[in-house]
Amino acid sequence: MFDRMALALERAWYKPPKFLLLLLPLEWLFATVTALRRLAFRKHWLSSGHPGVPVIVVGNISVGGTGKTPVVIGITQALMEQGVRVAVVSRGYGGSAMGVVQVSADSDYREVGDESLLIAQSTSAIVSIGRDRLAAAKHAVELGAEVIVSDDGLQHYALERDVEIVTSDASTGFGNGHLLPVGPLREPRKRLADVDFFLLRGGQDPHSGTDYRAKQFRRFSDGKTVAAQNPDFGPRVHAVAAIAQPQRFFDGLRSLGLEPVEHRFVDHRAFEGSDFEALGDLPIVMTAKDAVKCPTVLPDDAWILDMETEFPQGFVQQLIQRAGLMPVASPTAAAASRTESGAQASRSGDPDSTLMSKKCGDSV
């Protein structure tokens, strides 16, 4: 019952408000509390702190799937390829762990949350979770982290940050444009004028367009991999998804030559064996995020679709410079960087701008 209600509410956010307008007084209250809270941190009425190494926050201004976690994984992998010791901090949404906990590849998702476990399994980075992200970040620094990447936490102002990255989805945008509970927004769209980078999943602009390319299918039971394009199973498959935007997953499978029988579940659902027992003899395909929540025993023909992130050209280099992890290589490069930053700043007043910039080092 709760799952069906949650799915119905999410669908309503991406249509004209209609009956949700009855909740406008609650939206006004939410907007007031949100604005006052941010002001309190900016005026130092509420305490905040910095862990002492560069902090990159990847978040969104809306509820639901915007491709945030794949971006975190992609950024973490890119920085580690540059020889930087990276730590990812997260709240550990959906997990039961208390205090600050270090996540490993064999942690239990019921304790640490599915997203943080996926990050730990996808990278060799330090992964530290806790409701107090500042405490989690300081713990990671003690373990040797040279940069902190915060998975979500755009509105967690107790953790001061050096770079803010907002992710969004081209197909859903910002829904009906209203704040919670009338719409999906956590903060007004004008908040985008303050961030450093805006990454749009499925966008076509070369400065912001970000996408996720199918890398391979991996068998759940033994890790065997097969090609993503026209794999040697199917074409009809059971497609199981408990993510915020399941239709993207289903459509992606079709683009790979498969014919998915769609099975939707509410985001972050903890799977049980009974969810798979009645599916029949077709192969089962799921996302990597869902796979970490699955029972240890699944049918032999269960597969995980692994994805990889494709960032806009030059994004990683700009991010490294903005975070202060690497100096500009030459006066010519410095001049080019300043020119590009100026161009970005000139667009930053428009919430629909495809790449947004603020002065390096500013925090909120």
Side-chain angles (χ1 to χ4, degrees):
M1 174 66 74
F2 175 78
D3 286 0
R4 289 196 297 270
M5 291 176 61
L7 288 171
L9 180 59
E10 290 177 11
R11 286 194 293 267
W13 284 340
Y14 295 93
K15 297 177 181 178
K18 295 182 181 178
F19 72 90
L20 289 177
L21 292 178
L22 296 173
L23 302 177
L24 277 177
L26 293 179
E27 179 187 17
W28 299 333
L29 176 62
F30 180 82
T32 300
V33 171
T34 298
L36 289 176
R37 182 175 174 275
R38 189 178 182 209
L39 177 65
F41 277 106
R42 297 187 68 172
K43 294 293 186 180
H44 304 292
W45 299 335
L46 293 176
S47 62
S48 61
H50 196 284
V53 300
V55 176
I56 301 168
V57 171
V58 182
N60 49 39
I61 64 167
S62 59
V63 175
T66 61
K68 172 182 54 60
T69 299
V71 165
V72 168
I73 292 172
I75 288 173
T76 299
Q77 292 172 335
L79 293 179
M80 295 185 74
E81 288 173 0
Q82 299 294 320
V84 181
R85 188 163 172 76
V86 184
V88 177
V89 301
S90 170
R91 178 185 174 185
Y93 181 83
S96 61
M98 304 297 290
V100 175
V101 175
Q102 186 175 355
V103 183
S104 65
D106 57 358
S107 293
D108 188 331
Y109 80 91
R110 290 167 292 191
E111 296 179 3
V112 302
D114 53 358
E115 292 173 345
S116 60
L117 179 56
L118 174 60
I119 293 168
Q121 292 182 349
S122 302
T123 72
S124 57
I126 300 166
V127 180
S128 181
I129 65 168
R131 290 179 178 272
D132 184 343
R133 288 183 179 84
L134 177 58
K138 289 181 176 179
H139 175 71
V141 172
E142 292 173 357
L143 295 176
E146 297 173 326
V147 61
I148 301 295
V149 178
S150 176
D151 178 26
D152 210 353
L154 186 68
Q155 292 80 30
H156 191 82
Y157 294 114
L159 175 62
E160 297 174 6
R161 66 288 310 264
D162 302 280
V163 180
E164 291 185 325
I165 301 170
V166 164
T167 62
S168 187
D169 186 279
S171 63
T172 57
F174 301 110
N176 58 25
H178 286 267
L179 295 175
L180 292 167
V182 180
L185 296 185
R186 299 172 175 177
E187 294 185 277
R189 290 176 61 185
K190 64 182 180 181
R191 173 70 171 88
L192 297 178
D194 297 332
V195 306
D196 296 273
F197 297 98
F198 179 71
L199 299 180
L200 187 64
R201 178 170 65 179
Q204 300 303 309
D205 188 279
H207 298 296
S208 69
T210 305
D211 222 329
Y212 310 111
R213 184 173 66 87
K215 181 180 180 181
Q216 63 190 13
F217 284 100
R218 176 165 43 93
R219 192 155 59 190
F220 186 89
S221 60
D222 60 6
K224 173 188 174 181
T225 60
V226 299
Q229 293 288 339
N230 297 308
D232 57 2
F233 59 84
R236 283 181 59 79
V237 297
H238 288 296
V240 176
I243 56 178
Q245 298 292 340
Q247 194 59 50
R248 267 194 175 275
F249 175 58
F250 302 143
D251 291 343
L253 293 178
R254 292 187 177 92
S255 72
L256 297 174
L258 298 177
E259 301 172 8
V261 179
E262 301 177 2
H263 302 275
R264 301 168 184 257
F265 296 89
V266 71
D267 194 12
H268 297 286
R269 175 185 171 83
F271 287 107
E272 301 175 355
S274 58
D275 294 326
F276 303 93
E277 290 171 356
L279 293 186
D281 296 331
L282 294 178
I284 297 171
V285 180
M286 68 190 74
T287 68
K289 177 183 172 182
D290 285 330
V292 303
K293 302 175 296 181
C294 282
T296 55
V297 178
L298 280 180
D300 291 337
D301 216 6
W303 298 83
I304 303 162
L305 178 59
D306 291 323
M307 308 290 290
E308 54 188 2
T309 307
E310 295 182 337
F311 290 116
Q313 185 175 3
F315 165 74
V316 173
Q317 290 73 23
Q318 292 181 49
L319 174 62
I320 288 172
Q321 292 176 10
R322 187 64 57 84
L325 296 172
M326 183 182 297
V328 176
S330 67
T332 301
S337 177
R338 287 193 295 271
T339 300
E340 177 63 17
S341 295
Q344 294 166 12
S346 70
R347 297 190 292 266
S348 65
D350 179 4
D352 291 322
S353 174
T354 54
L355 176 62
M356 302 183 185
S357 173
K358 66 178 181 180
K359 183 179 178 182
C360 181
D362 284 357
S363 60
V364 291

Short mmCIF file of all heavy atoms in Angstrom, two decimals, residues 12-22 24 27 175-178 182-183:
data_model
loop_
_atom_site.label_atom_id
_atom_site.label_comp_id
_atom_site.label_asym_id
_atom_site.label_seq_id
_atom_site.Cartn_x
_atom_site.Cartn_y
_atom_site.Cartn_z
N ALA A 12 2.58 12.23 -9.75
CA ALA A 12 1.82 13.48 -9.71
C ALA A 12 2.73 14.70 -9.76
O ALA A 12 2.35 15.75 -10.29
CB ALA A 12 0.96 13.53 -8.45
N TRP A 13 3.94 14.59 -9.23
CA TRP A 13 4.87 15.72 -9.23
C TRP A 13 5.29 16.14 -10.63
O TRP A 13 5.74 17.26 -10.84
CB TRP A 13 6.12 15.36 -8.43
CG TRP A 13 5.93 15.39 -6.95
CD1 TRP A 13 4.96 16.04 -6.25
CD2 TRP A 13 6.76 14.75 -5.97
NE1 TRP A 13 5.11 15.84 -4.90
CE2 TRP A 13 6.21 15.05 -4.71
CE3 TRP A 13 7.90 13.95 -6.05
CZ2 TRP A 13 6.78 14.58 -3.53
CZ3 TRP A 13 8.46 13.49 -4.88
CH2 TRP A 13 7.91 13.80 -3.64
N TYR A 14 5.17 15.25 -11.59
CA TYR A 14 5.64 15.54 -12.94
C TYR A 14 4.48 15.76 -13.90
O TYR A 14 4.62 15.61 -15.11
CB TYR A 14 6.56 14.40 -13.42
CG TYR A 14 7.81 14.35 -12.59
CD1 TYR A 14 7.88 13.53 -11.46
CD2 TYR A 14 8.89 15.17 -12.86
CE1 TYR A 14 9.01 13.51 -10.66
CE2 TYR A 14 10.02 15.17 -12.06
CZ TYR A 14 10.08 14.33 -10.96
OH TYR A 14 11.19 14.32 -10.16
N LYS A 15 3.34 16.16 -13.34
CA LYS A 15 2.17 16.55 -14.10
C LYS A 15 1.67 17.87 -13.53
O LYS A 15 2.12 18.31 -12.47
CB LYS A 15 1.07 15.48 -13.98
CG LYS A 15 1.47 14.12 -14.55
CD LYS A 15 0.37 13.10 -14.33
CE LYS A 15 0.77 11.73 -14.86
NZ LYS A 15 -0.30 10.72 -14.60
N PRO A 16 0.72 18.56 -14.21
CA PRO A 16 0.16 19.77 -13.62
C PRO A 16 -0.35 19.50 -12.21
O PRO A 16 -0.97 18.45 -11.95
CB PRO A 16 -0.99 20.12 -14.57
CG PRO A 16 -0.55 19.54 -15.88
CD PRO A 16 0.19 18.28 -15.54
N PRO A 17 -0.11 20.40 -11.23
CA PRO A 17 -0.38 20.13 -9.81
C PRO A 17 -1.80 19.69 -9.48
O PRO A 17 -2.01 18.75 -8.74
CB PRO A 17 -0.06 21.47 -9.15
CG PRO A 17 0.87 22.14 -10.08
CD PRO A 17 0.47 21.72 -11.45
N LYS A 18 -2.82 20.35 -10.06
CA LYS A 18 -4.22 20.02 -9.81
C LYS A 18 -4.50 19.88 -8.32
O LYS A 18 -4.37 20.81 -7.55
CB LYS A 18 -4.60 18.75 -10.58
CG LYS A 18 -4.54 18.93 -12.10
CD LYS A 18 -4.98 17.66 -12.83
CE LYS A 18 -4.89 17.85 -14.33
NZ LYS A 18 -5.27 16.63 -15.08
N PHE A 19 -4.87 18.65 -7.87
CA PHE A 19 -5.28 18.47 -6.47
C PHE A 19 -4.15 18.75 -5.50
O PHE A 19 -4.39 19.08 -4.33
CB PHE A 19 -5.81 17.04 -6.26
CG PHE A 19 -4.75 15.97 -6.28
CD1 PHE A 19 -4.11 15.58 -5.11
CD2 PHE A 19 -4.38 15.38 -7.47
CE1 PHE A 19 -3.14 14.61 -5.12
CE2 PHE A 19 -3.40 14.39 -7.49
CZ PHE A 19 -2.78 14.01 -6.31
N LEU A 20 -2.89 18.68 -5.96
CA LEU A 20 -1.77 18.96 -5.05
C LEU A 20 -1.74 20.43 -4.62
O LEU A 20 -1.11 20.76 -3.63
CB LEU A 20 -0.45 18.59 -5.73
CG LEU A 20 -0.17 17.10 -5.93
CD1 LEU A 20 1.13 16.90 -6.67
CD2 LEU A 20 -0.13 16.38 -4.58
N LEU A 21 -2.44 21.29 -5.38
CA LEU A 21 -2.48 22.71 -5.00
C LEU A 21 -3.15 22.90 -3.64
O LEU A 21 -2.96 23.94 -3.00
CB LEU A 21 -3.22 23.51 -6.08
CG LEU A 21 -2.48 23.62 -7.43
CD1 LEU A 21 -3.32 24.38 -8.43
CD2 LEU A 21 -1.12 24.30 -7.25
N LEU A 22 -3.90 21.91 -3.20
CA LEU A 22 -4.49 21.99 -1.86
C LEU A 22 -3.41 22.01 -0.78
O LEU A 22 -3.66 22.42 0.36
CB LEU A 22 -5.43 20.80 -1.63
CG LEU A 22 -6.66 20.72 -2.55
CD1 LEU A 22 -7.40 19.41 -2.33
CD2 LEU A 22 -7.59 21.91 -2.29
N LEU A 24 -0.67 23.80 -0.98
CA LEU A 24 0.15 25.01 -1.11
C LEU A 24 0.58 25.62 0.22
O LEU A 24 1.72 26.06 0.36
CB LEU A 24 -0.60 26.06 -1.95
CG LEU A 24 -0.49 25.91 -3.47
CD1 LEU A 24 -1.34 26.96 -4.17
CD2 LEU A 24 0.97 26.04 -3.91
N GLU A 27 3.62 23.91 1.21
CA GLU A 27 4.76 24.30 0.38
C GLU A 27 5.34 25.63 0.86
O GLU A 27 6.56 25.79 0.97
CB GLU A 27 4.34 24.43 -1.08
CG GLU A 27 5.51 24.85 -1.99
CD GLU A 27 5.09 25.14 -3.43
OE1 GLU A 27 3.88 25.33 -3.66
OE2 GLU A 27 5.97 25.18 -4.30
N GLY A 175 10.06 18.79 -12.76
CA GLY A 175 8.66 18.45 -12.51
C GLY A 175 7.74 19.61 -12.73
O GLY A 175 7.89 20.38 -13.69
N ASN A 176 6.79 19.78 -11.81
CA ASN A 176 5.82 20.88 -11.95
C ASN A 176 6.36 22.20 -11.45
O ASN A 176 5.64 23.21 -11.43
CB ASN A 176 4.50 20.52 -11.23
CG ASN A 176 4.71 20.22 -9.75
OD1 ASN A 176 5.67 20.68 -9.14
ND2 ASN A 176 3.82 19.42 -9.18
N GLY A 177 7.62 22.23 -10.99
CA GLY A 177 8.25 23.48 -10.58
C GLY A 177 7.97 23.91 -9.15
O GLY A 177 8.47 24.94 -8.71
N HIS A 178 7.22 23.10 -8.40
CA HIS A 178 6.86 23.45 -7.03
C HIS A 178 7.80 22.77 -6.03
O HIS A 178 8.38 21.72 -6.30
CB HIS A 178 5.42 23.04 -6.73
CG HIS A 178 4.40 23.93 -7.36
ND1 HIS A 178 3.86 25.02 -6.72
CD2 HIS A 178 3.82 23.89 -8.59
CE1 HIS A 178 2.97 25.61 -7.51
NE2 HIS A 178 2.94 24.95 -8.66
N VAL A 182 4.14 19.87 -2.79
CA VAL A 182 3.36 20.05 -4.01
C VAL A 182 4.13 19.55 -5.22
O VAL A 182 3.55 19.04 -6.18
CB VAL A 182 2.95 21.52 -4.19
CG1 VAL A 182 2.14 21.72 -5.46
CG2 VAL A 182 2.16 22.00 -2.97
N GLY A 183 5.44 19.70 -5.20
CA GLY A 183 6.29 19.26 -6.29
C GLY A 183 7.53 18.57 -5.76
O GLY A 183 7.66 18.34 -4.55
#
